[in-house]
Amino acid sequence: MSRWRRRTTAAGEPLPPTRRNTEFLLLVFAVLVPVFAYANVGLARHGSIPPDTAKYGLGLGLLVLIAHILVRFFAPYADPVLLPIAALLNGLGLVLIYRLDLETPKAQAASSQLMWSAIGVILFAAVMIAVRDHRSVGKYAYLAAAVALFLMIVPVFFPAINGAKVWIRAGAFSLQPGEFAKIILVVFFASYLARTRETLMMIGHRFCGVNLPRGRDLGPVLAVWLASVGILVLERDLGTSFLYFGAFVVMLYVATARIGWIVVGLILISVGAFVVGSAEPHVHSRVQNWLDPFASIHAGLGPGQLAQSLFCFAAGGLLGAGLGLGHSILVGFAAKSDFILATVGEELGLTGIAALLVLYALLVARGFRAGLTAPDTFGSLLAYGLSAVLAIQVFVVAGGVTALIPLTGMTMPFLAQGGSSVVTNWALIALLMKISDRGRRPLAPIEEPVPLPEEVHA
């Protein structure tokens, strides 16, 4: 048998396509759609195309071009659909915020949202360049847990804004650390569950038909989760605590393949929601508003935010009133953030809402696909966790503004006003692309034995 081998090429066989040209064509579409929407808003409101339409298109196009070039160099086999969907949602969000800015000339938000989008692409680039292999992220699990808890504790020492203590505000600058913590916490969950997965599946105690792991195996991750949820309850940010809980349960189910965890999770979240909704005044008022969104009208106080949102969806009908022709600004101060979906419902109708939800569903599905093709357990769990964060956030926001569930104060990913949200979502997309790149790469070339020098001479 040969004592040394030489790596050879695959005998002239072509490597699989990277699909980067496909991604480029989809990006062109993802830029053109918001540009046409931007021009449509100007035509609808003023009868002319906004003079800065070309400037807006070039700015958005430059951002996605930079991201695309970086993907070509640092993740050439990444999923070609993830980046275009993120760019399209970000572009449409800028158009919707600009459209609502026309109703609030003294409170412009589109320019700052564009700046935050640029910072998000910078963070996307940083992840692309710094994270050469997604598996390296898993080495810092406990550091990630400490950083996530620190980020969630900091807002406790700042004043509450709109009933929740989740912001750090210094002058005109504001930041929501919990948005960054959600990704970092998923990294910790994925790393810990990847290491203890076998133990969690094989060793434990059976209780009420559910195999529960030993406390010392699940204890550390459960402690971090309980601490994070406890902090968020103190901050009255139950939407984010629900997001963490949902992602944790999904990752635990994926790691152990036991559906009992889903049942346990649903029971725990139902009990927790009932207790907190009954005891915490801020949450209790939201529950009451959900149960009777028209109570303020019956009391002669006019429609509240949720009632106004429902009126927007009703006015939009199947095809909507037309982009730029709605009155969703009547929702109030949260029209550009928590309730931006009401603008879509009124001006683009059920058709626009359905198209938007399909985009989100496709984004989540491609994230799950990255988890399926990931070559390692940590990468798989990380992709599932990040995708679950996106899916839960969309469900919670859409369910809240349509009165399916109580409002939680979260923002629609990429679409709503919120610098912290858009920045962290770009980082989330970068991680998913790095995982998909590793999973879609062709296998290493087949190594062929090379005869030893003495064998050649013989």
Side-chain angles (χ1 to χ4, degrees), residues 38 159 191 308 323 337 359 452:
Y38 191 82
S191 178
Q308 197 64 56
L323 197 55
S337 51
L359 282 178
L452 296 172

Side-chain angles (χ1 to χ4, degrees), residues 177-200:
E179 287 287 340
F180 295 89
K182 72 182 182 186
I183 294 180
I184 301 173
L185 210 55
V186 168
V187 170
F188 167 70
F189 288 156
S191 178
Y192 187 83
L193 291 174
R195 289 201 299 269
T196 58
R197 177 172 174 267
E198 298 294 333
T199 305
L200 293 174

Side-chain angles (χ1 to χ4, degrees), residues 312-313 315-323 325 343-352:
C312 289
F313 286 109
L318 182 62
L319 299 176
L323 197 55
L325 300 177
T343 302
V344 180
E346 182 179 12
E347 302 191 359
L348 300 178
L350 180 61
T351 307

